[in-house]
Amino acid sequence: MSKKTTLIAVGGGEMAESKQALDEILGYLKKRSDPRIAIMTVATNEGGAASVKYNNLFRRIGIKHVDVVDIEQRGDAFDTNSLKKVGNADALFFTGGDQLNITSLLGGTPLHELIQERFKEGVLIAGVSAGAAMMSSSMIISGESDAPPKVGGVEIAPGMNMIESTVIDSHFSQRGRHGRLLTAVAHYPQVLGLGIDERTAIIFRNGEFAVVGEGVVTVFDGRHIRHTDLPYRKDDETVGLFGVCIHVLPDGYRYNMKTREPIAPTLTKMAGVDAEV
């Protein structure tokens, strides 16, 4: 990954409510001359509605040039007009929907190759919900919410591998997805599990990400798992794990992906919080 590359993964909710993530996108684009953003609606089955929604949103915050790249079928990823829009864009924004649509409709096409080239060049890539989940190397495509870690509790496929050695889950706290992300980490202990809450984002650049927004990012690091009974369990049975390292990172916290260490901001005690017990 280029040191110039910036990725913004938003965990879900209305993008208009993720002000800090929008500010990051706008701040990036303001540094460009006559900037353009391309809205990638490949994940959703309601491309027309998503096009109108995000076109209005990005124009409202001051971005004049907004293009829409709507990939409804795989053949659309060979379209010269779509390639031109992505080639001219200073930022790409992937909407929510189904992350499997992104990998299955784009994977190996000329548009996918161009996105990879633009990614290496340092173009900003942002996404919400499915548009965030697709950035990981191992991608959750289905799984139970509000359930414990268990065999068959999650289905995993290759992602777009923009953030290497990760598996990303969205709508994390709101939909109780801790069990399914733990199941994913049990399958691939070498990858880092990142659970991103709604109206919360990670801003990833140069081997590190910062957390912005209302919720938290929950990190599951499985490198030091000393015991797992996953290979011995039958379908739908719960899984036992020892030694999963968990970090909970609110707004202002950072995480070094190279050293796998969280970084806290400078904190001071808030006045008026002491109370008698």
Side-chain angles (χ1 to χ4, degrees):
M1 181 188 298
S2 167
K3 291 184 177 180
K4 298 181 292 183
T5 298
T6 298
L7 293 165
I8 302 176
V10 183
E14 286 297 325
M15 191 63 195
E17 297 176 359
S18 297
K19 186 177 182 302
Q20 289 163 288
L22 286 174
D23 287 346
E24 186 75 24
I25 295 172
L26 185 59
Y28 175 92
L29 289 174
K30 279 185 174 180
K31 298 175 184 177
R32 271 66 189 167
S33 174
D34 205 26
R36 309 188 73 92
I37 187 169
I39 310 302
M40 313 294 294
T41 61
V42 58
T44 179
N45 295 324
E46 299 177 353
S51 299
V52 173
K53 175 181 177 180
Y54 288 106
N55 192 321
N56 291 340
L57 172 61
F58 285 113
R59 290 185 185 277
R60 191 165 66 245
I61 66 172
I63 302 172
K64 294 180 180 179
H65 302 296
V66 182
D67 293 318
V68 175
V69 180
D70 188 19
I71 308 299
E72 293 187 356
Q73 53 190 356
R74 189 170 166 86
D76 295 334
F78 293 77
D79 179 68
T80 54
N81 191 39
S82 295
L83 291 165
K84 182 178 179 180
K85 290 177 180 178
V86 170
N88 291 336
D90 297 288
L92 306 178
F93 177 81
F94 285 80
T95 71
D98 185 341
Q99 51 266 37
L100 187 57
N101 287 351
I102 300 174
T103 55
S104 62
L105 294 179
L106 289 184
T109 65
L111 187 57
H112 179 211
E113 293 175 2
L114 179 58
I115 290 170
Q116 288 181 315
E117 289 176 15
R118 301 305 320 279
F119 175 63
K120 292 175 183 177
E121 291 169 3
V123 67
L124 180 145
I125 298 180
V128 61
S129 189
M134 66 89 183
M135 294 182 185
S136 55
S137 52
S138 299
M139 184 178 71
I140 293 176
I141 58 174
S142 68
E144 294 184 46
S145 297
D146 290 318
K150 62 181 180 179
V151 179
V154 69
E155 187 176 1
I156 305 170
M160 297 290 276
N161 198 32
M162 294 175 179
I163 307 179
E164 297 175 357
S165 300
T166 60
V167 55
I168 295 174
D169 211 351
S170 57
H171 306 279
F172 195 64
S173 295
Q174 289 74 18
R175 299 187 184 178
R177 289 181 164 175
H178 299 70
R180 79 177 202 170
L181 186 56
L182 279 169
T183 303
V185 171
H187 280 82
Y188 300 103
Q190 70 273 27
V191 305
L192 200 66
L194 303 177
I196 309 175
D197 287 356
E198 294 179 3
R199 297 177 299 280
T200 308
I202 62 172
I203 315 296
F204 183 89
R205 58 170 67 92
N206 198 22
E208 181 178 291
F209 69 77
V211 179
V212 299
E214 298 178 15
V216 301
V217 173
T218 305
V219 179
F220 291 141
D221 185 350
R223 289 179 306 161
H224 302 297
I225 290 175
R226 299 296 298 271
H227 168 83
T228 175
D229 60 7
L230 178 66
Y232 318 107
R233 294 292 188 180
K234 297 178 180 178
D235 192 47
D236 211 39
E237 289 187 339
T238 53
V239 174
L241 298 167
F242 296 172
V244 179
C245 183
I246 301 174
H247 304 294
V248 179
L249 311 179
D251 179 81
Y253 281 71
R254 294 177 292 130
Y255 190 87
N256 188 311
M257 296 284 290
K258 296 175 183 177
T259 62
R260 293 205 175 187
E261 293 179 352
I263 305 164
T266 301
L267 300 173
T268 57
K269 288 186 178 179
M270 296 177 62
V273 297
D274 293 338
E276 293 184 6
V277 178

